[in-house]
Amino acid sequence: MNEKERALKAVLLFEKEYPDAICSLQYTDAFQLLIATRLSAQCTDARVNMVTPALFARFPDAKAFANADVSEVEELIKTCGLYKTKARDLIGIGKGIVERFGGVVPDKIEELITLPGVGRKTANLVCGDVYGKPAVVADTHFIRLSNRLGFVKTRDPLRVENEMRKILPPEHSNDFCHRAVLHGRAVCTARKANCDKCCLAEVCKKII
């Protein structure tokens, strides 16, 4: 198998093992996903999901965040960690969307990453999950699995994203990233690669 064939096989094996490929963050629109993902930095998705209902009830859209008092935002997100920096970013995101994008979350990575605290990982997630565009969310799990499977030999997120875009089927890339998170948490963990339990063993260069 060449690399594209091996990647397609991995996609199919993942689909069988993890039929439900969804983001674990709870949201109803692009703006909520953008905010929730920014909050998730160095914080669990479960914790973010506990915080966002009250946050979005108080600040339901970009305009509300743009006019928010930073101390009030800080208090609502305090348990997410790094809350002072995150609060400033959330307000900055609201202002940026209102002032530069007409109140609508942009659907282009290049535009999303101009917003405070928004990197390519977040931008890819929004573009893939909300706007249905081919996306590669290079989070820690995806980077680890891509290396262990032998698809890449780099820990640099941008290089991993660009190299995996070349071999993953575009229509499956976003779901593959979600499944990589599930697999990285349950089987191919940071502490240990549990190869005897791995559904990708037949395509993993560590095995074949």
Side-chain angles (χ1 to χ4, degrees), residues 74-92:
E74 287 177 355
E75 189 61 31
L76 285 166
I77 68 170
K78 204 166 188 176
T79 59
C80 286
L82 304 174
Y83 66 95
K84 289 185 178 295
T85 299
K86 290 179 181 179
R88 290 196 300 270
D89 284 349
L90 299 193
I91 292 172

Side-chain angles (χ1 to χ4, degrees), residues 52-71:
T52 49
L55 181 66
F56 293 143
R58 178 66 182 87
F59 304 108
D61 52 30
K63 184 177 180 181
F65 269 97
N67 296 311
D69 179 81
V70 68
S71 62

Side-chain angles (χ1 to χ4, degrees), residues 4-76:
K4 284 192 174 183
E5 291 170 338
R6 198 161 64 90
L8 177 57
K9 182 64 175 177
V11 165
L12 297 175
L13 291 168
F14 254 179
E15 286 179 351
K16 184 178 180 181
E17 186 76 7
Y18 307 101
D20 298 321
I22 57 173
C23 178
S24 55
L25 291 169
Q26 296 171 1
Y27 65 95
T28 60
D29 55 33
F31 182 74
Q32 287 193 0
L33 178 57
L34 186 61
I35 295 299
T37 307
R38 178 64 191 99
L39 287 174
S40 70
Q42 298 185 40
C43 178
T44 66
D45 289 354
R47 169 57 60 183
V48 173
N49 289 337
M50 293 173 64
V51 167
T52 49
L55 181 66
F56 293 143
R58 178 66 182 87
F59 304 108
D61 52 30
K63 184 177 180 181
F65 269 97
N67 296 311
D69 179 81
V70 68
S71 62
E72 187 175 1
V73 177
E74 287 177 355
E75 189 61 31
L76 285 166

Side-chain angles (χ1 to χ4, degrees), residues 114-128:
T114 66
L115 296 168
V118 177
R120 293 189 66 86
K121 181 181 77 172
T122 299
N124 268 282
L125 184 62
V126 171
C127 286

Side-chain angles (χ1 to χ4, degrees), residues 1-18 142 145-146 149-151 164 167-169 172-173 175-177 179-180 183 198-205 208:
M1 289 186 288
N2 62 34
E3 291 302 85
K4 284 192 174 183
E5 291 170 338
R6 198 161 64 90
L8 177 57
K9 182 64 175 177
V11 165
L12 297 175
L13 291 168
F14 254 179
E15 286 179 351
K16 184 178 180 181
E17 186 76 7
Y18 307 101
F142 184 80
L145 264 65
S146 297
L149 288 165
F151 287 125
M164 291 304 289
I167 61 174
L168 283 172
H172 295 289
S173 61
D175 286 346
F176 185 86
C177 295
R179 292 181 172 111
H183 195 65
C198 184
C199 63
L200 301 182
E202 65 182 273
V203 296
C204 183
K205 283 193 172 178
I208 59 178

Side-chain angles (χ1 to χ4, degrees), residues 143-156:
I143 291 170
R144 182 171 69 254
L145 264 65
S146 297
N147 275 275
R148 285 183 178 171
L149 288 165
F151 287 125
V152 301
K153 293 180 180 179
T154 177
R155 297 285 175 178
D156 178 73

